[in-house]
Amino acid sequence: MRRNAGLFVAISLLSGFGSSAMSLVAGIWILDLTGSTGLAALVGLCVYAPVLAGPWLGGLLDRAPRRALVIAVNLLLAAALLALLAVRGPGQTWVIFAVSCAYGVSYVLIDAGETALLPSALSPTDLGDVNGWRSSAQEGMKLVAPLAGAGLYAWHGGHAVAVLSAAMPLLVAVLYLAVRLNRTPPERPTRRHRGLRAGLAVLLGQRTIRVPVVLAAVSIAMSGFTTAAVYAVVVTELRLPTTFLGVLASAQGAGSILGGLVVGRLLTRRGPVAVGVAGAVLFAVGCLARCLPWWPATVAGAAVAGIGLPWTLVAAVTAVQTHSPAALLGRVAATANTAMFGPLVLAIPLGSAAVHFGGRPPLIAAAVLCLTAAATLRPPRPRQPDASAPLVIVGS
């Protein structure tokens, strides 16, 4: 089990490095080729839009051998990245957009595939810890990879970054071959289990899955909704230079790494629903702290939000892994990813519009929504014994 855990953490490190480096460089590359900030921003839409097709793409994971499919997707992704070597000028900008779309589709399949494979490689008691470690690894790469990718781009151009990024999924494919699947492979879905409704039925029908996924969806959506608000608070309210946003990103990343390291123990003790509620509350506290007119409070709020956001995500992923039928795990995982990340498509532009009312109102609105969700979906309190009831002693 330790061997498999180490392999999955290494997979998260490599895939996180490649994707984080390329996601930044793709926008910079298009900006340099075209001079258009609008076209550069569309790269992010190409990456995130395929998550809306998650319920349909997840069905592939339940019909084919999951490890083989994930390995094949990584190999195809490497080939797609090497296609960027054909980019020579503005006329080949479409290649960058096409590769970004391929990245988005691979995200959906690989992320859901990893979620579905983990229960076959680890014991149920280890899932929370490993999910937390994977989250910390990915957040750590978000701190290192963009700087490394931008530096390599400035040094040798986009082709060098494309080759480096293509090497990452190749190494990931090799690591997947080394994973030992010790548990019984899942059964193939029957006709009754096929179709979009099967994954939705599991997701909506079990409270232990539904509640953590809803809490994660609300928190992640609010993180996108408040992006523009954080910019406004830093530049307009606090009158700090834009470079201070890098300090906040580092503080949030550090909080996410710390949160990922401890969330496994919390899941073992409290369960996914309680951890999801705690994560949503922490994210709300982080939003409120960033409303204070004092820059240390803004930094502290970013760190607290960085702890809470991964807690909601890891709690939701672990709930899907431990409470979904094995034959439908790929489909439920992909559907859950759509539910959690799909709202970003609307939340980000809505947040950009809401910032016209100032930086603090969107942060307050996000905090209120997260706290409302946490209060509404919190775990039910255990029933206390009635003190007036007679005490019955059973003797021998």
Side-chain angles (χ1 to χ4, degrees):
M1 291 300 176
R2 290 183 179 180
R3 179 177 183 272
N4 283 345
L7 287 171
F8 276 108
V9 173
I11 287 169
S12 295
L13 285 169
L14 292 172
S15 59
F17 182 89
S19 61
S20 297
M22 197 64 229
S23 62
L24 174 64
V25 167
I28 297 174
W29 201 350
I30 289 178
L31 184 59
D32 286 344
L33 290 173
T34 66
S36 171
T37 56
L39 287 176
L42 283 177
V43 173
L45 181 61
C46 291
V47 172
Y48 284 109
V51 76
L52 299 176
W56 292 273
L57 292 173
L60 297 174
L61 293 164
D62 294 329
R63 295 188 182 97
R66 289 167 182 164
R67 174 160 58 178
L69 182 60
V70 171
I71 290 173
V73 171
N74 275 282
L75 295 177
L76 290 172
L77 176 60
L81 286 165
L82 291 177
L84 292 172
L85 296 177
V87 177
R88 300 293 175 181
Q92 292 82 43
T93 303
W94 67 270
V95 178
I96 303 177
F97 283 110
V99 172
S100 298
C101 289
Y103 237 130
V105 174
S106 71
Y107 281 162
V108 176
L109 288 171
I110 292 173
D111 195 28
E114 287 182 359
T115 300
L117 279 174
L118 276 164
S120 299
L122 301 169
S123 65
T125 56
D126 292 329
L127 285 174
D129 283 326
V130 176
N131 284 330
W133 298 339
R134 290 170 61 228
S135 175
S136 294
Q138 291 165 355
E139 293 299 326
M141 287 301 99
K142 289 179 183 178
L143 297 178
V144 176
L147 181 61
L152 183 58
Y153 178 84
W155 185 27
H156 278 297
H159 293 157
V161 181
V163 172
L164 176 63
S165 297
M168 298 299 107
L170 290 176
L171 293 174
V172 167
V174 173
L175 292 181
Y176 272 120
L177 289 173
V179 173
R180 295 173 181 171
L181 301 180
N182 299 321
R183 298 169 64 83
T184 304
E187 297 178 356
R188 296 289 180 88
T190 62
R191 285 188 177 182
R192 184 173 59 89
H193 288 151
R194 292 177 181 174
L196 175 62
R197 294 182 180 178
L200 283 173
V202 174
L203 184 62
L204 299 176
Q206 297 193 40
R207 185 179 188 276
T208 50
I209 300 177
R210 181 179 67 253
V211 170
V213 169
V214 170
L215 289 167
V218 171
S219 300
I220 292 170
M222 291 303 98
S223 72
F225 180 76
T226 55
T227 299
V230 172
Y231 293 167
V233 166
V234 169
V235 176
T236 305
E237 310 288 348
L238 298 178
R239 300 185 182 279
L240 294 169
T242 55
T243 51
F244 188 75
L245 293 169
V247 176
L248 295 185
S250 297
Q252 183 165 341
S256 296
I257 294 172
L258 176 61
L261 293 175
V262 302
V263 68
R265 295 181 181 179
L266 291 175
L267 284 168
T268 301
R269 295 177 181 177
R270 301 295 183 182
V273 174
V275 172
V277 168
V281 170
L282 284 176
F283 182 77
V285 170
C287 288
L288 294 175
R290 283 179 280 192
C291 293
L292 298 176
W294 190 42
W295 71 262
T298 305
V299 175
V304 171
I307 295 173
L309 199 59
W311 281 12
T312 62
L313 178 59
V314 173
V317 170
T318 305
V320 168
Q321 291 169 333
T322 53
H323 296 287
S324 298
L328 294 175
L329 185 50
R331 195 163 314 181
V332 177
T335 304
N337 285 344
T338 299
M340 291 186 289
F341 293 100
L344 281 172
V345 176
L346 291 176
I348 293 175
L350 285 176
S352 298
V355 80
H356 291 293
F357 297 100
R360 293 191 177 98
L363 288 166
I364 294 172
V368 170
L369 187 57
C370 288
L371 290 174
T372 301
T376 304
L377 301 174
R378 69 183 186 277
R381 294 181 179 180
R383 295 181 62 184
Q384 298 293 331
D386 189 355
S388 62
L391 179 62
V392 178
I393 301 177
V394 179
S396 55

